[in-house]
Coordinates of all heavy atoms in Angstrom, one line a residue:
E188 N -89.7 30.9 -229.0 CA -90.8 30.0 -229.5 C -91.1 29.0 -228.4 O -90.2 28.4 -227.8 CB -90.3 29.1 -230.7 CG -91.2 28.1 -231.1 CD -90.8 27.2 -232.5 OE1 -89.7 27.4 -232.8 OE2 -91.6 26.5 -232.9
N247 N -96.8 27.0 -231.9 CA -97.0 26.2 -233.1 C -98.5 25.7 -233.3 O -99.1 25.5 -232.1 CB -96.2 24.9 -233.0 CG -94.7 25.2 -233.2 OD1 -94.2 25.4 -234.3 ND2 -94.0 25.2 -232.1
E279 N -97.4 30.0 -235.5 CA -96.5 29.3 -236.5 C -97.4 28.2 -237.2 O -97.8 27.3 -236.6 CB -95.3 28.7 -235.9 CG -94.3 29.7 -235.4 CD -92.9 29.2 -235.1 OE1 -92.7 28.0 -235.3 OE2 -92.0 29.9 -234.5
D309 N -93.8 28.3 -240.9 CA -92.7 27.4 -240.3 C -92.3 26.4 -241.3 O -92.9 26.1 -242.2 CB -93.4 26.6 -239.1 CG -92.5 26.2 -238.1 OD1 -91.2 26.3 -238.2 OD2 -92.8 25.6 -237.1
D310 N -91.0 26.1 -241.1 CA -90.3 25.0 -241.9 C -90.3 25.3 -243.4 O -90.6 24.5 -244.2 CB -91.1 23.6 -241.7 CG -91.0 23.1 -240.2 OD1 -90.2 23.7 -239.4 OD2 -91.9 22.4 -239.9
K330 N -90.0 31.5 -241.7 CA -88.9 30.6 -241.0 C -88.3 29.6 -241.9 O -89.0 28.7 -242.4 CB -89.5 29.9 -239.7 CG -90.1 30.9 -238.7 CD -90.5 30.1 -237.4 CE -89.3 29.7 -236.6 NZ -89.8 29.0 -235.3
D332 N -86.4 26.7 -243.1 CA -86.2 25.3 -242.5 C -84.7 24.9 -242.2 O -83.9 25.3 -242.9 CB -86.9 24.2 -243.4 CG -86.9 22.8 -242.6 OD1 -87.7 22.8 -241.6 OD2 -86.2 21.9 -242.9
R333 N -84.5 24.2 -241.1 CA -83.2 23.8 -240.7 C -82.4 23.0 -241.8 O -81.3 23.2 -241.9 CB -83.4 22.9 -239.4 CG -82.2 22.4 -238.9 CD -82.4 21.9 -237.4 NE -83.0 20.4 -237.5 CZ -84.0 20.0 -236.8 NH1 -84.6 20.8 -236.0 NH2 -84.4 18.7 -236.9
E366 N -83.9 28.6 -238.8 CA -84.1 27.7 -237.8 C -82.8 26.8 -237.7 O -82.2 26.5 -238.7 CB -85.2 26.7 -238.0 CG -86.5 27.4 -238.2 CD -87.7 26.3 -238.3 OE1 -88.0 25.9 -239.3 OE2 -88.2 26.0 -237.2
Ligands
MG681 MG1 -89.7 24.9 -237.8

Side-chain angles (χ1 to χ4, degrees):
E188 177 177 6
N247 292 283
E279 295 192 0
D309 203 356
D310 305 337
K330 297 188 77 177
D332 191 66
R333 186 165 79 223
E366 300 189 274

